[in-house]
Amino acid sequence: DAGVIQSPRHEVTEMGQEVTLRCKPISGHNSLFWYRQTMMRGLELLIYFNNNVPIDDSGMPEDRFSAKMPNASFSTLKIQPSEPRDSAVYFCASSPRIQGGEQYFGPGTRLTVT
Amino acid sequence: EDKVVQSPLSLVVHEGDTVTLNCSYEVTNFRSLLWYKQEKKAPTFLFMLTSSGIEKKSGRLSSILDKKELFSILNITATQTGDSAIYLCAGGSGTYKYIFGTGTRLKVLA
């Protein structure tokens, strides 16, 4: 069984450019999470989807960040315009549970904004 | 504000040693605690703990939860160099949201 798939694995872009990160959750999982990990702040939840519906986006840092989940097998996280402080590793995770439970992480996208 | 604190921040041991990693939590409506191992990539799920006093084991790793004292420990016996990683714990309420600690960085020397 394939795990969570993310692309690209690395992204280097210039400040002001649009960045789109992609995620394919594990088949059959109905919960999807986007996290950001930095040395300073650790793992932070950005947004949570349940059955393709955004339930909690309170972790999204600014209006520059947006996320969509058009179907059960695909989600995107977009940053527009990007800034150097957005540099981090962005993880997508999925879970078979709706309320509480193990989450399975993708390999992450390392984003560098210059 | 909910928080999860892990200790020590880092640890260096020799192969064969036993280590104990600590995780204390303050989480509103706490329901479960997760442990992950993170090497140079994604966190890998280790354990989910929901009941106090019941040890979970997987090979040389074991973990237990104390809901009265609000902490959990992760034990690794007979450590190997492959155990070198960052170990994360996360406390969750009855919903989806888990608060992650900043992790314990373990290095096992040959």
Side-chain angles (χ1 to χ4, degrees), chain A residues 22-42:
Chain A
R22 296 172 178 79
C23 173
K24 177 179 168 56
I26 294 172
S27 178
H29 285 194
N30 49 26
S31 294
L32 183 138
F33 308 80
W34 281 100
Y35 287 91
R36 177 171 67 176
Q37 186 175 41
T38 61
M39 288 290 292
M40 291 295 293
R41 301 174 68 92

Side-chain angles (χ1 to χ4, degrees), chain B residues 57-73:
Chain B
K57 292 195 69 159
S58 177
R60 297 175 293 103
L61 277 66
S62 64
S63 184
I64 197 162
L65 178 67
D66 186 327
K67 292 169 80 170
K68 182 180 176 185
E69 301 297 330
L70 308 184
F71 77 91
S72 175
I73 60 173

Side-chain angles (χ1 to χ4, degrees), chain B residues 3-17:
Chain B
K3 63 180 180 181
V4 173
V5 178
Q6 293 186 245
S7 64
L9 292 180
S10 64
L11 193 55
V12 180
V13 300
H14 289 91
E15 273 193 320
D17 288 350

Side-chain angles (χ1 to χ4, degrees), chain A residues 33 35 37 39 41-43 45 48 55-56 58 91 97-107, chain B residues 31-32 34 36 38 40-45 48 88 93-102 105:
Chain A
F33 308 80
Y35 287 91
Q37 186 175 41
M39 288 290 292
R41 301 174 68 92
L43 263 170
L45 178 65
Y48 161 62
I55 303 300
D56 183 353
S58 60
F91 288 105
R97 302 174 191 259
I98 296 173
Q99 289 203 341
E102 68 274 26
Q103 299 174 17
Y104 297 89
F105 285 75
Chain B
R31 290 282 294 276
S32 62
L34 307 178
Y36 286 87
Q38 185 173 25
K40 291 184 180 176
K41 41 189 178 178
T44 303
F45 174 72
M48 183 171 81
L88 299 168
S93 65
T95 60
Y96 52 87
K97 189 172 282 188
Y98 283 87
I99 306 298
F100 280 81
T102 52
R105 185 180 294 272

Side-chain angles (χ1 to χ4, degrees), chain A residues 61-74:
Chain A
E62 300 170 35
D63 291 346
R64 299 183 295 107
F65 286 69
S66 62
K68 294 182 180 179
M69 192 166 184
N71 57 62
S73 58
F74 184 65

